[in-house]
């Protein structure tokens, strides 16, 4: 008889039975949704943006970070800042544009103005405040902590949190693999943002982003496209996928897939979709990698695909293109997704076009795969209406195998996320 | 602009083409729709934050050449295209049709659209925007060489996926 858990825990792990369950209440509960904001999003390093989005002094982007309105900007001295977009006087947004270049931020309510570094610049009728008013203490409030790793900027609303480098831990190695594609070590966010809602709980997208088990059933039409384009996507006998890859625990709730590439890489693994014309160009990029990094590291960069999930809500997919995608819950059953393409700054027009073409074939709201992921997540969310009668999601694949034997089609790496999630929700350090 | 070329097509002829196209798409007659396109046609949905961008340098929502567009239709007809199975019901309102000029041997035309999309277990999602077309006269028929569907929404947001032909 199959083991079924009892009790009220959200995450149930039973090694003896080789079972791991998550209670579906975590996907529907307004109480869990509220508690996650404080227990997770206010304590973790959450993604803000990439330094390349702010090319010049005064450049800014406004975006929500952990539910707060934030101005992500580069001040006149070139320092990157994340300022809470909220006037010190009566609270209105001081910047209501999506992006731009600002000499100052001007609150349209009563006319207070702030420098791009946050300092309060001027207050109409300042004399009415008497002698106790100190402008130097009334600047825009920065997020409590802001730091970056290789131009990926993160904020933390917990002033006591560990530093970003410690937090990222072994995930840094996988970010390094992404950056190593660029000869100068500089990657950039490519213009054009994909922003869309999914009517499903945000944690489902963490699972989905790294879950290779669903590829054949959810994405058969994409596999057909690859096959029609001359790419061999037929799994060897006894395998679920064309190549055998692994799911890895990177510590601190971070995890990744690590798969031998079969679906092509703009840097630098040719497939027939790119066309014969691209072969020489991709060979040259491969040679540059080998000369710069040595053949072993070059193969690591160019012959593996990695979907990296940084706890709690940032995913970097480095494969047929590079996507940077983060998502934030707006309700128990709805998340808001923001995704960008990332590429080496040196790319030629042809290389960039190839990268974007590959991105769009699979990813995004008009791709051949992402809309089916969205459909799967929304179908799961609809099913969760019966969470009381059918309470447990099963994430037991690969239980009983050693840690370094967990396949990307197993669920060992998904369990890494859930253990961390549970630990933080229970208030353990 | 080649005034002479633009003058070879009437608004009524362009309207007939757009209305016919809308009917084919709403009734999921996708192979017949493909037949309205030239052999080297392109279909674009620019990103909401860069409506005027060029797909060579910018991440679009959709940027199909004819090879990928044919593959998109193969996908849309497959019951394993989960985002469109069961298929959406759509209803397109096309208005403000204008012949706007020409580029080389292409006639430029524009129209506004409202596309209502209804799905299983889902609310009405309303896609509002405008089309920019490049049309080509081939063997007496007016064909579509390029269609660009530009959404007015600041972001896709609650519209979700663009998994049907917009």
């Amino acid at each position: 008889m199959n083991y079924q858990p009892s009790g009220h825990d959200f995450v149930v792990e039973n090694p003896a039975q080789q079972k791991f369950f998550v209670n579906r209440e975590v996907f529907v509960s307004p109480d869990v949704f509220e508690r996650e904001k404080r227990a997770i999003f206010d304590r973790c390093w959450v993604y803000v943006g990439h330094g390349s989005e702010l090319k010049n002094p005064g450049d800014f982007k406004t975006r929500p970070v952990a539910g707060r309105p934030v101005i992500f900007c580069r001040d006149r001295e070139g320092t990157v800042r994340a300022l809470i977009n909220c006037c010190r006087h009566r609270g209105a947004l001081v910047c209501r544009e999506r992006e731009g270049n600002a000499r100052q931020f001007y609150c349209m309510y009563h006319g207070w103005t702030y420098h791009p570094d946050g300092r309060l610049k001027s207050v109409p009728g300042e004399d009415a405040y008497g002698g106790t008013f100190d402008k130097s203490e009334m600047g825009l409030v920065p997020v409590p902590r802001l730091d970056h790793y290789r131009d990926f900027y993160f904020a933390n609303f917990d002033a006591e949190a560990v530093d970003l480098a410690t937090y990222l831990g072994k995930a840094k190695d996988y970010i390094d693999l992404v950056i190593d594609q660029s000869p100068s070590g500089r990657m950039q966010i490519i213009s054009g943002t994909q922003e869309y809602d999914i009517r499903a709980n945000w944690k489902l997208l963490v699972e989905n982003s790294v879950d290779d088990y669903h590829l054949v059933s959810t994405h058969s039409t994409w596999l057909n496209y690859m096959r029609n384009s001359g790419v061999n996507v037929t799994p060897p006998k006894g395998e679920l996928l064309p190549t055998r890859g692994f799911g890895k625990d990177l510590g601190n709730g971070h995890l990744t897939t690590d798969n031998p590439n079969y679906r092509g890489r703009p840097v630098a693994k040719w497939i027939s979709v790119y066309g014969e014309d691209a072969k020489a160009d991709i060979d040259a990029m491969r040679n540059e990698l080998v000369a710069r990094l040595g053949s072993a590291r070059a193969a690591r960069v160019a012959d593996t695909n990695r979907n990296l999930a940084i706890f709690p809500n940032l995913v970097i997919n480095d494969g047929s293109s590079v996507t940077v995608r983060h998502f934030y819950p707006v309700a128990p059953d709805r998340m808001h997704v923001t995704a960008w393409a990332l590429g080496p700054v040196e790319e030629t027009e042809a290389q960039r076009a190839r990268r974007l073409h590959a991105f769009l074939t699979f990813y995004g709201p008009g791709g051949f795969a992402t809309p089916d992921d969205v459909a799967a997540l929304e179908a799961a969310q609809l099913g969760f209406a019966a969470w009381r009668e059918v309470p447990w999601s099963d994430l037991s694949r690969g239980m009983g195998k050693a840690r370094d034997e967990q396949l990307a089609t197993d669920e060992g790496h998904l369990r890494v996320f859930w253990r961390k999630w549970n630990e933080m929700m229970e208030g353990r350090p | 602009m080649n005034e002479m070329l633009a003058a070879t097509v009437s608004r009524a002829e362009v309207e007939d083409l757009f209305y016919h196209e809308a009917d084919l798409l709403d009734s999921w007659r996708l192979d017949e729709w493909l037949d309205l396109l030239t052999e080297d046609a392109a279909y674009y949905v620019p990103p909401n934050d860069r409506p005027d961008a060029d797909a060579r340098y910018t991440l679009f929502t959709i940027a199909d050449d004819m090879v990928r567009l044919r593959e998109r239709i193969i996908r849309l007809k497959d019951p394993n295209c989960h985002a469109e199975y069961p298929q959406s019901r759509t209803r397109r309102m096309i208005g403000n049709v204008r012949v706007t000029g020409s580029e080389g041997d292409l006639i430029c035309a524009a129209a506004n659209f409202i596309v209502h999309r209804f799905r299983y277990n889902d609310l009405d999602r309303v896609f509002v925007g405008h089309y920019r077309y490049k049309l080509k006269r081939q063997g007496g028929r007016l064909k579509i060489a390029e269609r660009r569907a530009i959404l007015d929404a600041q972001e896709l947001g609650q519209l979700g996926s663009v998994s049907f032909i917009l």
Side-chain angles (χ1 to χ4, degrees), chain A residues 61 98-99 190-197 199 217-222 224-225 228-229 334 336 339-341 349 352-353 356-361 363 365-372 374-375 378 382, chain B residues 47-50 53-65 67-69 71-75 78-84 119-125 154-163:
Chain A
K61 307 270 179 183
R98 223 190 124 86
E99 60 186 341
I190 299 166
S191 79
T193 314
Q194 297 184 336
E195 277 188 281
Y196 53 99
D197 291 2
R199 293 172 196 213
S217 46
T218 305
H219 301 308
S220 71
T221 64
W222 173 76
N224 281 345
Y225 160 78
N228 294 344
S229 308
R334 207 167 100 221
H336 185 69
W340 298 272
E349 185 183 316
R352 184 54 60 86
L356 292 172
H357 186 276
F359 185 114
L360 290 185
T361 301
Y363 289 111
F368 285 11
T370 299
D372 294 338
V374 171
E378 293 186 344
L382 290 169
Chain B
N48 297 54
D49 64 332
R50 293 284 185 277
D54 182 324
R56 286 173 298 176
Y57 316 109
T58 299
L59 180 69
F60 271 41
T61 301
I62 293 169
D64 283 349
D65 56 19
V67 174
R68 190 157 64 191
L69 189 48
E71 292 288 339
R72 185 179 294 278
I73 300 305
I74 291 171
R75 168 176 147 73
D78 189 328
N80 285 310
C81 173
H82 309 291
E84 288 297 335
R119 288 203 63 215
Y120 161 77
N121 226 328
D122 200 0
L123 304 168
D124 178 15
R125 301 193 192 194
Q154 300 275 326
E155 56 174 78
L156 280 171
Q158 297 194 36
L159 299 176
S161 302
V162 188
S163 44

Side-chain angles (χ1 to χ4, degrees), chain A residues 39 67 193 259 400 409:
Chain A
T193 314
N259 296 330
T409 53

Side-chain angles (χ1 to χ4, degrees), chain A residues 180-359:
Chain A
D180 273 356
Q181 295 176 67
S182 160
S184 64
R186 284 181 303 142
M187 299 289 280
Q188 66 181 187
I189 293 288
I190 299 166
S191 79
T193 314
Q194 297 184 336
E195 277 188 281
Y196 53 99
D197 291 2
I198 301 178
R199 293 172 196 213
N201 187 271
W202 67 279
K203 299 183 286 297
L204 292 176
L205 188 52
V206 179
E207 293 182 344
N208 172 263
S209 298
V210 293
D211 165 22
D212 278 7
Y213 185 35
H214 77 283
L215 192 89
V216 171
S217 46
T218 305
H219 301 308
S220 71
T221 64
W222 173 76
L223 289 166
N224 281 345
Y225 160 78
M226 293 296 272
R227 208 171 278 124
N228 294 344
S229 308
V231 182
N232 181 10
V233 290
T234 305
K237 205 169 160 53
E239 297 286 329
L240 287 168
L241 296 182
T243 61
R244 171 176 275 233
F246 292 89
K248 293 189 173 172
D249 177 356
L250 302 177
N252 294 349
H254 314 310
L255 53 120
T256 191
T257 60
D258 203 331
N259 296 330
N261 170 69
Y262 63 90
R263 53 202 272 189
R265 291 184 54 96
V267 184
K269 182 95 176 173
W270 183 88
I271 53 169
S272 51
V273 178
Y274 301 154
E276 292 293 325
D277 296 353
K279 253 182 176 162
D281 190 23
I282 290 191
D283 283 348
M285 291 166 87
R286 180 64 175 236
N287 292 339
E288 187 280 331
L289 281 181
V290 172
R292 177 162 51 88
L293 304 170
S295 56
R297 180 74 176 174
R300 190 78 182 94
V301 170
D303 293 337
T304 60
N305 287 1
R306 293 149 261 111
N307 287 13
L308 170 68
I310 294 177
F311 193 89
N313 65 335
L314 173 66
V315 172
I316 301 173
N317 293 331
D318 182 3
S320 49
S321 58
V322 182
T323 71
V324 177
R325 171 164 84 188
H326 71 138
F327 35 96
Y328 189 76
V330 289
D333 59 355
R334 207 167 100 221
M335 76 183 100
H336 185 69
V337 183
T338 309
W340 298 272
L342 188 79
V345 296
E346 298 85 356
E347 275 181 337
T348 63
E349 185 183 316
Q351 290 164 355
R352 184 54 60 86
R354 206 180 296 140
R355 168 178 301 283
L356 292 172
H357 186 276
F359 185 114

Side-chain angles (χ1 to χ4, degrees), chain B residues 2 18-19 23 28 63 77 81 85-86 95 99-100 102 115-116 118-119 121 123 127 129 133 136 145 151 161:
Chain B
N2 182 343
F18 290 177
Y19 295 167
D23 184 38
W28 285 84
K77 295 190 320 191
C81 173
Y85 187 85
V99 177
T100 53
S102 64
V115 183
H116 291 269
F118 303 88
R119 288 203 63 215
N121 226 328
L123 304 168
F127 294 73
Y133 280 88
K136 193 173 187 176
L151 288 160
S161 302

